[in-house]
PDB file of all heavy atoms in Angstrom:
ATOM      1  N   MET A   1     171.300   0.224 285.409  1.00 96.00           N
ATOM      2  CA  MET A   1     170.741  -0.237 284.137  1.00 96.00           C
ATOM      3  C   MET A   1     169.204  -0.017 284.008  1.00 96.00           C
ATOM      4  O   MET A   1     168.735   0.483 282.975  1.00 96.00           O
ATOM      5  CB  MET A   1     171.008  -1.746 283.981  1.00 96.00           C
ATOM      6  CG  MET A   1     170.762  -2.239 282.556  1.00 96.00           C
ATOM      7  SD  MET A   1     171.834  -1.429 281.363  1.00 96.00           S
ATOM      8  CE  MET A   1     171.589  -2.516 279.927  1.00 96.00           C
ATOM      9  N   LYS A   2     168.598  -0.072 285.208  1.00 97.00           N
ATOM     10  CA  LYS A   2     167.119   0.155 285.162  1.00 97.00           C
ATOM     11  C   LYS A   2     166.802   1.624 284.925  1.00 97.00           C
ATOM     12  O   LYS A   2     165.909   1.886 284.180  1.00 97.00           O
ATOM     13  CB  LYS A   2     166.503  -0.233 286.681  1.00 97.00           C
ATOM     14  CG  LYS A   2     166.414  -1.710 286.769  1.00 97.00           C
ATOM     15  CD  LYS A   2     165.751  -1.788 288.169  1.00 97.00           C
ATOM     16  CE  LYS A   2     165.710  -3.308 288.525  1.00 97.00           C
ATOM     17  NZ  LYS A   2     165.084  -3.647 289.823  1.00 97.00           N
ATOM     18  N   ALA A   3     167.675   2.560 285.387  1.00 97.00           N
ATOM     19  CA  ALA A   3     167.439   4.040 285.172  1.00 97.00           C
ATOM     20  C   ALA A   3     167.557   4.255 283.646  1.00 97.00           C
ATOM     21  O   ALA A   3     166.894   5.106 283.009  1.00 97.00           O
ATOM     22  CB  ALA A   3     168.384   4.842 285.977  1.00 97.00           C
ATOM     23  N   PHE A   4     168.604   3.571 283.061  1.00 98.00           N
ATOM     24  CA  PHE A   4     168.826   3.850 281.566  1.00 98.00           C
ATOM     25  C   PHE A   4     167.709   3.413 280.779  1.00 98.00           C
ATOM     26  O   PHE A   4     167.220   4.074 279.847  1.00 98.00           O
ATOM     27  CB  PHE A   4     170.175   3.082 281.094  1.00 98.00           C
ATOM     28  CG  PHE A   4     170.387   3.131 279.733  1.00 98.00           C
ATOM     29  CD1 PHE A   4     170.794   4.364 279.112  1.00 98.00           C
ATOM     30  CD2 PHE A   4     170.096   2.072 278.868  1.00 98.00           C
ATOM     31  CE1 PHE A   4     170.986   4.434 277.736  1.00 98.00           C
ATOM     32  CE2 PHE A   4     170.299   2.229 277.549  1.00 98.00           C
ATOM     33  CZ  PHE A   4     170.834   3.295 276.975  1.00 98.00           C
ATOM     34  N   LEU A   5     167.174   2.161 281.103  1.00 98.00           N
ATOM     35  CA  LEU A   5     166.051   1.572 280.382  1.00 98.00           C
ATOM     36  C   LEU A   5     164.787   2.492 280.566  1.00 98.00           C
ATOM     37  O   LEU A   5     163.950   2.742 279.689  1.00 98.00           O
ATOM     38  CB  LEU A   5     165.810   0.136 280.793  1.00 98.00           C
ATOM     39  CG  LEU A   5     166.842  -0.746 280.254  1.00 98.00           C
ATOM     40  CD1 LEU A   5     166.567  -2.189 280.772  1.00 98.00           C
ATOM     41  CD2 LEU A   5     167.033  -0.856 278.869  1.00 98.00           C
ATOM     42  N   ALA A   6     164.610   3.053 281.779  1.00 98.00           N
ATOM     43  CA  ALA A   6     163.409   3.817 282.017  1.00 98.00           C
ATOM     44  C   ALA A   6     163.568   5.136 281.258  1.00 98.00           C
ATOM     45  O   ALA A   6     162.525   5.527 280.721  1.00 98.00           O
ATOM     46  CB  ALA A   6     163.329   4.192 283.526  1.00 98.00           C
ATOM     47  N   ALA A   7     164.839   5.632 281.193  1.00 98.00           N
ATOM     48  CA  ALA A   7     164.919   6.917 280.454  1.00 98.00           C
ATOM     49  C   ALA A   7     164.697   6.694 278.943  1.00 98.00           C
ATOM     50  O   ALA A   7     164.151   7.570 278.185  1.00 98.00           O
ATOM     51  CB  ALA A   7     166.356   7.362 280.626  1.00 98.00           C
ATOM     52  N   VAL A   8     165.091   5.592 278.357  1.00 98.00           N
ATOM     53  CA  VAL A   8     164.939   5.216 276.933  1.00 98.00           C
ATOM     54  C   VAL A   8     163.464   5.038 276.691  1.00 98.00           C
ATOM     55  O   VAL A   8     162.888   5.514 275.654  1.00 98.00           O
ATOM     56  CB  VAL A   8     165.807   3.997 276.566  1.00 98.00           C
ATOM     57  CG1 VAL A   8     165.376   3.569 275.102  1.00 98.00           C
ATOM     58  CG2 VAL A   8     167.250   4.359 276.583  1.00 98.00           C
ATOM     59  N   ALA A   9     162.703   4.370 277.567  1.00 98.00           N
ATOM     60  CA  ALA A   9     161.335   4.126 277.431  1.00 98.00           C
ATOM     61  C   ALA A   9     160.584   5.449 277.577  1.00 98.00           C
ATOM     62  O   ALA A   9     159.630   5.726 276.698  1.00 98.00           O
ATOM     63  CB  ALA A   9     160.810   3.142 278.510  1.00 98.00           C
ATOM     64  N   THR A  10     160.977   6.362 278.468  1.00 98.00           N
ATOM     65  CA  THR A  10     160.285   7.678 278.548  1.00 98.00           C
ATOM     66  C   THR A  10     160.492   8.440 277.302  1.00 98.00           C
ATOM     67  O   THR A  10     159.702   9.090 276.743  1.00 98.00           O
ATOM     68  CB  THR A  10     160.806   8.386 279.747  1.00 98.00           C
ATOM     69  OG1 THR A  10     160.592   7.631 280.866  1.00 98.00           O
ATOM     70  CG2 THR A  10     160.216   9.862 279.939  1.00 98.00           C
ATOM     71  N   MET A  11     161.788   8.434 276.723  1.00 98.00           N
ATOM     72  CA  MET A  11     162.121   9.168 275.549  1.00 98.00           C
ATOM     73  C   MET A  11     161.209   8.693 274.324  1.00 98.00           C
ATOM     74  O   MET A  11     160.841   9.513 273.561  1.00 98.00           O
ATOM     75  CB  MET A  11     163.498   9.093 275.220  1.00 98.00           C
ATOM     76  CG  MET A  11     164.029   9.858 274.125  1.00 98.00           C
ATOM     77  SD  MET A  11     165.815   9.717 273.771  1.00 98.00           S
ATOM     78  CE  MET A  11     166.130   8.010 273.660  1.00 98.00           C
ATOM     79  N   ALA A  12     161.111   7.350 274.288  1.00 98.00           N
ATOM     80  CA  ALA A  12     160.223   6.809 273.149  1.00 98.00           C
ATOM     81  C   ALA A  12     158.834   7.282 273.222  1.00 98.00           C
ATOM     82  O   ALA A  12     158.265   7.644 272.255  1.00 98.00           O
ATOM     83  CB  ALA A  12     160.379   5.298 273.191  1.00 98.00           C
ATOM     84  N   VAL A  13     158.271   7.236 274.451  1.00 97.00           N
ATOM     85  CA  VAL A  13     156.902   7.635 274.632  1.00 97.00           C
ATOM     86  C   VAL A  13     156.715   9.150 274.325  1.00 97.00           C
ATOM     87  O   VAL A  13     155.820   9.581 273.609  1.00 97.00           O
ATOM     88  CB  VAL A  13     156.412   7.412 276.133  1.00 97.00           C
ATOM     89  CG1 VAL A  13     155.134   8.001 276.478  1.00 97.00           C
ATOM     90  CG2 VAL A  13     156.402   5.862 276.383  1.00 97.00           C
ATOM     91  N   VAL A  14     157.663  10.052 274.812  1.00 97.00           N
ATOM     92  CA  VAL A  14     157.562  11.455 274.443  1.00 97.00           C
ATOM     93  C   VAL A  14     157.705  11.722 272.943  1.00 97.00           C
ATOM     94  O   VAL A  14     156.959  12.518 272.418  1.00 97.00           O
ATOM     95  CB  VAL A  14     158.621  12.188 275.289  1.00 97.00           C
ATOM     96  CG1 VAL A  14     158.733  13.650 274.818  1.00 97.00           C
ATOM     97  CG2 VAL A  14     158.290  12.190 276.822  1.00 97.00           C
ATOM     98  N   THR A  15     158.607  11.001 272.426  1.00 96.00           N
ATOM     99  CA  THR A  15     158.770  11.152 270.938  1.00 96.00           C
ATOM    100  C   THR A  15     157.563  10.750 270.166  1.00 96.00           C
ATOM    101  O   THR A  15     157.160  11.426 269.171  1.00 96.00           O
ATOM    102  CB  THR A  15     160.062  10.397 270.491  1.00 96.00           C
ATOM    103  OG1 THR A  15     161.174  10.834 271.220  1.00 96.00           O
ATOM    104  CG2 THR A  15     160.270  10.594 268.926  1.00 96.00           C
ATOM    105  N   ALA A  16     156.979   9.638 270.548  1.00 96.00           N
ATOM    106  CA  ALA A  16     155.736   9.191 269.811  1.00 96.00           C
ATOM    107  C   ALA A  16     154.499  10.113 270.071  1.00 96.00           C
ATOM    108  O   ALA A  16     153.713  10.310 269.186  1.00 96.00           O
ATOM    109  CB  ALA A  16     155.459   7.761 270.236  1.00 96.00           C
ATOM    110  N   ALA A  17     154.416  10.674 271.298  1.00 95.00           N
ATOM    111  CA  ALA A  17     153.226  11.453 271.664  1.00 95.00           C
ATOM    112  C   ALA A  17     153.323  12.932 271.271  1.00 95.00           C
ATOM    113  O   ALA A  17     152.303  13.543 271.050  1.00 95.00           O
ATOM    114  CB  ALA A  17     153.051  11.342 273.190  1.00 95.00           C
ATOM    115  N   ALA A  18     154.491  13.487 271.032  1.00 92.00           N
ATOM    116  CA  ALA A  18     154.699  14.814 270.773  1.00 92.00           C
ATOM    117  C   ALA A  18     153.892  15.360 269.598  1.00 92.00           C
ATOM    118  O   ALA A  18     153.255  16.367 269.652  1.00 92.00           O
ATOM    119  CB  ALA A  18     156.169  15.183 270.664  1.00 92.00           C
ATOM    120  N   PRO A  19     153.992  14.789 268.407  1.00 89.00           N
ATOM    121  CA  PRO A  19     153.243  15.365 267.333  1.00 89.00           C
ATOM    122  C   PRO A  19     151.690  15.322 267.573  1.00 89.00           C
ATOM    123  O   PRO A  19     151.068  16.288 267.205  1.00 89.00           O
ATOM    124  CB  PRO A  19     153.574  14.257 266.131  1.00 89.00           C
ATOM    125  CG  PRO A  19     154.804  13.715 266.592  1.00 89.00           C
ATOM    126  CD  PRO A  19     154.801  13.606 268.044  1.00 89.00           C
ATOM    127  N   PHE A  20     151.184  14.334 268.139  1.00 90.00           N
ATOM    128  CA  PHE A  20     149.696  14.208 268.468  1.00 90.00           C
ATOM    129  C   PHE A  20     149.336  15.426 269.424  1.00 90.00           C
ATOM    130  O   PHE A  20     148.411  16.056 269.175  1.00 90.00           O
ATOM    131  CB  PHE A  20     149.377  13.024 269.036  1.00 90.00           C
ATOM    132  CG  PHE A  20     147.873  12.922 269.467  1.00 90.00           C
ATOM    133  CD1 PHE A  20     146.928  12.800 268.468  1.00 90.00           C
ATOM    134  CD2 PHE A  20     147.608  12.911 270.759  1.00 90.00           C
ATOM    135  CE1 PHE A  20     145.638  12.725 268.923  1.00 90.00           C
ATOM    136  CE2 PHE A  20     146.318  12.786 271.204  1.00 90.00           C
ATOM    137  CZ  PHE A  20     145.223  12.807 270.239  1.00 90.00           C
ATOM    138  N   VAL A  21     150.041  15.568 270.508  1.00 90.00           N
ATOM    139  CA  VAL A  21     149.772  16.555 271.502  1.00 90.00           C
ATOM    140  C   VAL A  21     149.964  17.995 271.029  1.00 90.00           C
ATOM    141  O   VAL A  21     149.062  18.657 271.199  1.00 90.00           O
ATOM    142  CB  VAL A  21     150.749  16.280 272.724  1.00 90.00           C
ATOM    143  CG1 VAL A  21     150.662  17.523 273.813  1.00 90.00           C
ATOM    144  CG2 VAL A  21     150.465  15.019 273.418  1.00 90.00           C
ATOM    145  N   LEU A  22     151.043  18.188 270.285  1.00 86.00           N
ATOM    146  CA  LEU A  22     151.245  19.530 269.744  1.00 86.00           C
ATOM    147  C   LEU A  22     150.079  19.911 268.678  1.00 86.00           C
ATOM    148  O   LEU A  22     149.636  21.038 268.672  1.00 86.00           O
ATOM    149  CB  LEU A  22     152.627  19.665 268.983  1.00 86.00           C
ATOM    150  CG  LEU A  22     153.766  19.663 269.973  1.00 86.00           C
ATOM    151  CD1 LEU A  22     155.052  19.542 269.141  1.00 86.00           C
ATOM    152  CD2 LEU A  22     153.732  20.780 270.980  1.00 86.00           C
ATOM    153  N   THR A  23     149.667  18.919 267.875  1.00 85.00           N
ATOM    154  CA  THR A  23     148.552  19.139 266.966  1.00 85.00           C
ATOM    155  C   THR A  23     147.300  19.529 267.689  1.00 85.00           C
ATOM    156  O   THR A  23     146.513  20.393 267.423  1.00 85.00           O
ATOM    157  CB  THR A  23     148.395  18.013 266.073  1.00 85.00           C
ATOM    158  OG1 THR A  23     149.584  17.712 265.361  1.00 85.00           O
ATOM    159  CG2 THR A  23     147.273  18.281 265.112  1.00 85.00           C
ATOM    160  N   GLN A  24     146.961  18.769 268.783  1.00 87.00           N
ATOM    161  CA  GLN A  24     145.779  18.938 269.603  1.00 87.00           C
ATOM    162  C   GLN A  24     145.871  20.304 270.219  1.00 87.00           C
ATOM    163  O   GLN A  24     144.740  20.922 270.579  1.00 87.00           O
ATOM    164  CB  GLN A  24     145.581  17.873 270.682  1.00 87.00           C
ATOM    165  CG  GLN A  24     145.331  16.527 270.088  1.00 87.00           C
ATOM    166  CD  GLN A  24     143.981  16.557 269.370  1.00 87.00           C
ATOM    167  OE1 GLN A  24     143.066  17.035 269.773  1.00 87.00           O
ATOM    168  NE2 GLN A  24     143.982  15.961 268.143  1.00 87.00           N
ATOM    169  N   MET A  25     146.999  20.906 270.705  1.00 86.00           N
ATOM    170  CA  MET A  25     147.145  22.174 271.236  1.00 86.00           C
ATOM    171  C   MET A  25     147.085  23.286 270.181  1.00 86.00           C
ATOM    172  O   MET A  25     147.146  24.408 270.680  1.00 86.00           O
ATOM    173  CB  MET A  25     148.473  22.189 272.088  1.00 86.00           C
ATOM    174  CG  MET A  25     148.465  21.266 273.222  1.00 86.00           C
ATOM    175  SD  MET A  25     150.071  21.291 273.986  1.00 86.00           S
ATOM    176  CE  MET A  25     150.260  22.961 274.524  1.00 86.00           C
ATOM    177  N   GLY A  26     147.128  22.938 268.980  1.00 79.00           N
ATOM    178  CA  GLY A  26     147.068  23.993 267.886  1.00 79.00           C
ATOM    179  C   GLY A  26     148.388  24.555 267.635  1.00 79.00           C
ATOM    180  O   GLY A  26     148.587  25.768 267.226  1.00 79.00           O
ATOM    181  N   LEU A  27     149.525  23.859 267.922  1.00 76.00           N
ATOM    182  CA  LEU A  27     150.859  24.435 267.760  1.00 76.00           C
ATOM    183  C   LEU A  27     151.494  23.864 266.531  1.00 76.00           C
ATOM    184  O   LEU A  27     152.747  23.987 266.352  1.00 76.00           O
ATOM    185  CB  LEU A  27     151.685  24.069 268.960  1.00 76.00           C
ATOM    186  CG  LEU A  27     151.190  24.749 270.360  1.00 76.00           C
ATOM    187  CD1 LEU A  27     152.097  24.275 271.417  1.00 76.00           C
ATOM    188  CD2 LEU A  27     151.279  26.299 270.144  1.00 76.00           C
ATOM    189  N   SER A  28     150.809  23.133 265.574  1.00 71.00           N
ATOM    190  CA  SER A  28     151.402  22.706 264.456  1.00 71.00           C
ATOM    191  C   SER A  28     151.564  23.853 263.360  1.00 71.00           C
ATOM    192  O   SER A  28     150.967  24.878 263.415  1.00 71.00           O
ATOM    193  CB  SER A  28     150.615  21.526 263.781  1.00 71.00           C
ATOM    194  OG  SER A  28     149.396  22.114 263.293  1.00 71.00           O
ATOM    195  N   SER A  29     152.540  23.656 262.494  1.00 68.00           N
ATOM    196  CA  SER A  29     152.745  24.724 261.532  1.00 68.00           C
ATOM    197  C   SER A  29     151.542  24.918 260.561  1.00 68.00           C
ATOM    198  O   SER A  29     151.314  25.982 260.097  1.00 68.00           O
ATOM    199  CB  SER A  29     153.954  24.380 260.659  1.00 68.00           C
ATOM    200  OG  SER A  29     153.863  23.220 259.995  1.00 68.00           O
ATOM    201  N   ALA A  30     150.814  23.889 260.345  1.00 69.00           N
ATOM    202  CA  ALA A  30     149.626  23.948 259.516  1.00 69.00           C
ATOM    203  C   ALA A  30     148.572  24.878 260.218  1.00 69.00           C
ATOM    204  O   ALA A  30     147.796  25.567 259.540  1.00 69.00           O
ATOM    205  CB  ALA A  30     149.068  22.599 259.232  1.00 69.00           C
ATOM    206  N   GLU A  31     148.463  24.760 261.502  1.00 67.00           N
ATOM    207  CA  GLU A  31     147.564  25.590 262.175  1.00 67.00           C
ATOM    208  C   GLU A  31     147.892  27.045 262.299  1.00 67.00           C
ATOM    209  O   GLU A  31     147.201  27.912 262.355  1.00 67.00           O
ATOM    210  CB  GLU A  31     147.329  25.111 263.633  1.00 67.00           C
ATOM    211  CG  GLU A  31     146.874  23.661 263.668  1.00 67.00           C
ATOM    212  CD  GLU A  31     145.419  23.403 264.161  1.00 67.00           C
ATOM    213  OE1 GLU A  31     144.846  24.398 264.664  1.00 67.00           O
ATOM    214  OE2 GLU A  31     144.912  22.324 263.983  1.00 67.00           O
ATOM    215  N   ARG A  32     149.232  27.224 262.390  1.00 65.00           N
ATOM    216  CA  ARG A  32     149.885  28.640 262.509  1.00 65.00           C
ATOM    217  C   ARG A  32     149.686  29.365 261.167  1.00 65.00           C
ATOM    218  O   ARG A  32     149.646  30.570 261.214  1.00 65.00           O
ATOM    219  CB  ARG A  32     151.325  28.553 262.921  1.00 65.00           C
ATOM    220  CG  ARG A  32     151.473  28.130 264.291  1.00 65.00           C
ATOM    221  CD  ARG A  32     151.141  29.177 265.242  1.00 65.00           C
ATOM    222  NE  ARG A  32     151.347  28.686 266.612  1.00 65.00           N
ATOM    223  CZ  ARG A  32     151.104  29.482 267.637  1.00 65.00           C
ATOM    224  NH1 ARG A  32     150.666  30.600 267.565  1.00 65.00           N
ATOM    225  NH2 ARG A  32     151.309  29.049 268.875  1.00 65.00           N
ATOM    226  N   GLY A  33     149.814  28.699 260.095  1.00 66.00           N
ATOM    227  CA  GLY A  33     149.731  29.327 258.731  1.00 66.00           C
ATOM    228  C   GLY A  33     150.850  30.224 258.406  1.00 66.00           C
ATOM    229  O   GLY A  33     152.066  29.756 258.571  1.00 66.00           O
ATOM    230  N   ALA A  34     150.636  31.523 257.950  1.00 64.00           N
ATOM    231  CA  ALA A  34     151.668  32.271 257.495  1.00 64.00           C
ATOM    232  C   ALA A  34     152.418  32.980 258.723  1.00 64.00           C
ATOM    233  O   ALA A  34     153.437  33.651 258.544  1.00 64.00           O
ATOM    234  CB  ALA A  34     151.064  33.391 256.636  1.00 64.00           C
ATOM    235  N   ALA A  35     152.054  32.742 259.950  1.00 62.00           N
ATOM    236  CA  ALA A  35     152.760  33.263 261.079  1.00 62.00           C
ATOM    237  C   ALA A  35     153.962  32.613 261.344  1.00 62.00           C
ATOM    238  O   ALA A  35     154.802  33.011 262.332  1.00 62.00           O
ATOM    239  CB  ALA A  35     151.819  33.272 262.229  1.00 62.00           C
ATOM    240  N   VAL A  36     154.240  31.508 260.695  1.00 62.00           N
ATOM    241  CA  VAL A  36     155.543  30.770 261.014  1.00 62.00           C
ATOM    242  C   VAL A  36     156.701  31.378 260.328  1.00 62.00           C
ATOM    243  O   VAL A  36     156.677  31.642 259.156  1.00 62.00           O
ATOM    244  CB  VAL A  36     155.406  29.253 260.522  1.00 62.00           C
ATOM    245  CG1 VAL A  36     156.625  28.454 260.755  1.00 62.00           C
ATOM    246  CG2 VAL A  36     154.184  28.582 261.132  1.00 62.00           C
ATOM    247  N   ARG A  37     157.731  31.863 261.060  1.00 66.00           N
ATOM    248  CA  ARG A  37     158.940  32.484 260.513  1.00 66.00           C
ATOM    249  C   ARG A  37     159.977  31.375 260.368  1.00 66.00           C
ATOM    250  O   ARG A  37     160.280  30.601 261.281  1.00 66.00           O
ATOM    251  CB  ARG A  37     159.367  33.527 261.545  1.00 66.00           C
ATOM    252  CG  ARG A  37     158.361  34.662 261.558  1.00 66.00           C
ATOM    253  CD  ARG A  37     158.764  35.776 262.538  1.00 66.00           C
ATOM    254  NE  ARG A  37     160.117  36.285 262.173  1.00 66.00           N
ATOM    255  CZ  ARG A  37     160.864  37.048 262.937  1.00 66.00           C
ATOM    256  NH1 ARG A  37     160.432  37.379 264.107  1.00 66.00           N
ATOM    257  NH2 ARG A  37     162.044  37.422 262.503  1.00 66.00           N
ATOM    258  N   LEU A  38     160.600  31.420 259.309  1.00 65.00           N
ATOM    259  CA  LEU A  38     161.677  30.415 258.904  1.00 65.00           C
ATOM    260  C   LEU A  38     163.014  31.162 258.807  1.00 65.00           C
ATOM    261  O   LEU A  38     163.900  30.521 258.175  1.00 65.00           O
ATOM    262  CB  LEU A  38     161.346  29.779 257.695  1.00 65.00           C
ATOM    263  CG  LEU A  38     160.028  28.895 257.653  1.00 65.00           C
ATOM    264  CD1 LEU A  38     159.696  28.314 256.306  1.00 65.00           C
ATOM    265  CD2 LEU A  38     160.045  27.845 258.735  1.00 65.00           C
ATOM    266  N   ASP A  39     163.242  32.290 259.334  1.00 63.00           N
ATOM    267  CA  ASP A  39     164.568  32.911 259.218  1.00 63.00           C
ATOM    268  C   ASP A  39     165.428  32.830 260.474  1.00 63.00           C
ATOM    269  O   ASP A  39     165.180  32.283 261.435  1.00 63.00           O
ATOM    270  CB  ASP A  39     164.397  34.394 258.880  1.00 63.00           C
ATOM    271  CG  ASP A  39     163.425  35.080 259.803  1.00 63.00           C
ATOM    272  OD1 ASP A  39     162.378  34.567 259.933  1.00 63.00           O
ATOM    273  OD2 ASP A  39     163.742  36.187 260.245  1.00 63.00           O
TER     274      ASP A  39
END
């Protein structure tokens, strides 16, 4: 049960931090502009 709760907590932290980290790295679609392919 401890492993499951640790996995859920890790997933929540990664999910919450991902948008901020990706924006700081310059990997957001707004930073990419017209170079984003949607096909």
Side-chain angles (χ1 to χ4, degrees):
M1 190 66 166
K2 287 183 184 179
F4 175 73
L5 293 176
V8 170
T10 302
M11 183 176 56
V13 169
V14 169
T15 301
F20 175 74
V21 171
L22 291 175
T23 301
Q24 292 298 316
M25 292 175 60
L27 297 176
S28 68
S29 59
E31 303 250 348
R32 291 285 182 182
V36 176
R37 294 178 57 191
L38 300 175
D39 49 312

